[in-house]
Amino acid sequence: MSDGRPRPRTEDDLRAAYQLAAQDAPQRATVLAGVLEHRDRRQRGFGAPIAGIVAVLAVIGVLVGIALSDSHPRRTTNGAAASPRIGDENVSLHATPSGLASAGASAGGGSANAGSTSTTIGPNVSPSPLIPPIYPSAGHTCAPSEVSVSIVWSAGGNAAYGQITALNTSTAACDLLVKPAVTPLTPSGSPIAVRMVQSQEAALGPQRLLPGATARAQVTWNGWCGIALGNTAQLSWGSGTVTAASSPPDRSQAGHCPANPELATMTSTYFSPLH
Amino acid sequence: MTFEQFAVTRLDAVLRFAAVLTSDRGLAEDVVQDVLVRTHRHWDRIGSLEHPEAYVRRMIVNEFTSWRRKWARIVPSADAALDVAEPDPTAGITDRRALLAEISKLPRRQRAVLALRYYEGLSDAEIAETLGCAETTVRGYVFRALKTLRVEFAPQSAATP
């Protein structure tokens, strides 16, 4: 595979490097929690001065009312259920827990809780959760008979990178909940022993796959080392095993073989449905 | 498409692109978060576009290449851990990390062009539109970047991977 001399870099090397870099992407929940916190802070930041002005105007109104001996009560305090809005006649100052952060944290693994117990004075904004599972669980995990799966491998040094595509061929939506485990097969159909490493970071709710929709996941096989692969591979994601069409990597692109094949490992990502 | 739908269905891809673009997980998180804050504020307009993801990607590129980003943060180089003498069973990974470290030293617009071309698979015309420059400028960036990285350039090859 290699004569010891450094191989000139190609554009495919660049693509493979980028695939590697993409695996180090930030977590969606972390980013959204930051956005949520910023929005919450911004709303509170705008709300407080406005509420102060409204409060001053209200006090002036009360004083004017008293001066005019107007016995009609101008404002009421409605308790926790009240939702004061700018421009309302009945503006009351009350403590209300912010519903924004808690709404965002509900589906994001609890990462966003900024301001969840703070006292806010000002406009009450309708909660608009950022991280909820917009697509609720389909109620069952995709069965092997419901999906058609394929893997397209690309080679890069002694690693192989697989792009897994799952197509829901059934007439019902189903869920892809866990990272797929891949068992590569030799051209004769024998399984190749590779240590599958499944990191345990949380998935963001059910990944519902609609009928006719596709989802993608990536698999990285470190220490592939040019092993010949067949045209099929086995995949499982907790509901049985499916045989996937496999497009083997270009073995001529394989680099150095590891001294210890036991070090070969495989990792995969969660499926990302493409709605 | 609502912002929430975008977050659920498209954000992972956007984050992967940002990671590729910046070669720095922290910076990618920072850039995407700043962009999303602005995006969320104007989502009524952005969400009605035919390809909101492309618009967000353009915002990310602009944010990454903007002058204030250049001075706001020093991008760490990953080459400190590359000179390991012991045999490495994952030499391919090391090669890629070395290449990524070299990419991170390129001028930011060259990095943006490479990421758009070799990760996103955009054509020169699409990259030019994203960056707001001419196609010849894009090709110039590619040529110079590949020369710096010592990557063999196949002009006849398609931009898509």
Side-chain angles (χ1 to χ4, degrees):
Chain A
M1 308 296 170
S2 172
D3 57 5
R5 286 180 303 179
R7 180 173 58 82
R9 285 171 172 165
T10 66
E11 292 171 290
D12 281 342
D13 290 331
L14 209 48
R15 294 186 181 100
Y18 279 145
Q19 291 298 327
L20 180 66
Q23 293 175 20
D24 197 32
Q27 290 294 309
R28 179 169 48 167
T30 309
V31 174
L32 283 177
V35 175
L36 192 71
E37 186 180 343
H38 186 277
R39 185 180 71 166
D40 196 28
R41 193 168 57 236
R42 183 168 169 266
Q43 284 166 344
R44 270 183 284 147
F46 285 160
I50 295 172
I53 295 168
V54 170
V56 170
L57 291 176
V59 170
I60 293 171
V62 169
L63 294 175
V64 170
I66 291 172
L68 296 177
S69 302
D70 185 356
S71 61
H72 182 68
R74 189 169 181 278
R75 64 189 179 99
T76 59
T77 301
N78 296 326
S83 297
R85 290 170 299 177
I86 299 171
D88 274 3
E89 274 297 308
N90 301 329
V91 176
S92 60
L93 305 180
H94 66 279
T96 176
S98 168
L100 295 172
S102 58
S106 62
S111 58
N113 58 4
S116 59
T117 58
S118 65
T119 299
T120 59
I121 298 173
N124 192 6
V125 181
S126 301
S128 175
L130 286 173
I131 323 178
I134 296 300
Y135 302 104
S137 169
H140 73 285
T141 304
C142 294
S145 60
E146 291 181 293
V147 291
S148 171
V149 185
S150 63
I151 306 180
V152 177
W153 293 96
S154 61
N158 68 349
Y161 304 91
Q163 175 85 9
I164 303 171
T165 304
L167 169 67
N168 184 349
T169 56
S170 73
T171 55
C174 59
D175 293 330
L176 294 168
L177 297 173
V178 300
K179 295 179 178 179
V182 179
T183 304
L185 303 176
T186 64
S188 63
S190 303
I192 300 169
V194 182
R195 192 158 57 96
M196 192 78 204
V197 178
Q198 295 284 49
S199 55
Q200 298 296 314
E201 73 268 19
L204 283 174
Q207 299 293 296
R208 192 173 72 160
L209 190 59
L210 300 173
T214 57
R216 289 203 180 129
Q218 284 78 41
V219 60
T220 301
W221 180 359
N222 292 320
W224 159 61
C225 192
I227 296 172
L229 299 183
N231 293 322
T232 56
Q234 291 179 333
L235 269 83
S236 61
W237 52 79
S239 65
T241 301
V242 64
T243 299
S246 174
S247 173
D250 180 1
R251 297 177 66 197
S252 67
Q253 296 289 317
H256 301 284
C257 290
N260 182 359
E262 294 293 318
L263 292 173
T265 57
M266 194 178 283
T267 57
S268 64
T269 66
Y270 286 108
F271 277 105
S272 293
L274 307 173
H275 291 286
Chain B
M1 178 184 283
T2 66
F3 184 81
E4 288 77 12
Q5 287 172 324
F6 174 82
V8 170
T9 61
R10 299 282 186 265
L11 186 53
D12 283 340
V14 169
L15 287 168
R16 284 194 291 270
F17 170 68
V20 166
L21 179 68
T22 62
S23 305
D24 177 350
R25 185 192 182 101
L27 181 59
E29 190 176 313
D30 206 18
V31 168
V32 174
Q33 193 166 296
D34 283 359
V35 165
L36 284 187
V37 165
R38 295 204 307 274
T39 302
H40 180 256
R41 212 177 293 161
H42 304 290
W43 190 256
D44 286 348
R45 180 172 55 83
I46 298 170
S48 64
L49 297 174
E50 190 176 358
H51 299 294
E53 184 180 344
Y55 189 87
V56 172
R57 187 172 56 209
R58 183 174 183 170
M59 289 178 72
I60 287 171
V61 170
N62 288 338
E63 180 69 22
F64 175 66
T65 56
S66 69
W67 64 271
R68 62 191 183 93
R69 278 282 168 201
K70 288 176 185 172
W71 298 102
R73 183 175 175 136
I74 298 171
V75 179
S77 170
D79 52 2
L82 296 177
D83 298 328
V84 181
E86 62 187 60
D88 184 359
T90 57
I93 297 295
T94 305
D95 290 345
R96 276 163 193 72
R97 295 215 180 280
L99 183 52
L100 290 172
E102 289 183 41
I103 291 171
S104 70
K105 294 173 184 171
L106 294 174
R108 292 198 171 198
R109 285 179 77 81
Q110 288 186 24
R111 292 166 65 182
V113 167
L114 289 187
L116 290 166
R117 182 185 177 99
Y118 293 106
Y119 181 72
E120 292 288 337
L122 299 189
S123 66
D124 289 347
E126 290 168 322
I127 296 170
E129 187 182 344
T130 300
L131 292 178
C133 63
E135 283 185 53
T136 51
T137 307
V138 169
R139 283 192 281 274
Y141 283 140
V142 171
F143 179 78
R144 283 194 292 277
L146 295 185
K147 188 177 178 185
T148 305
L149 298 172
R150 302 179 307 282
V151 171
E152 289 181 343
F153 183 42
Q156 73 280 10
S157 69
T160 50

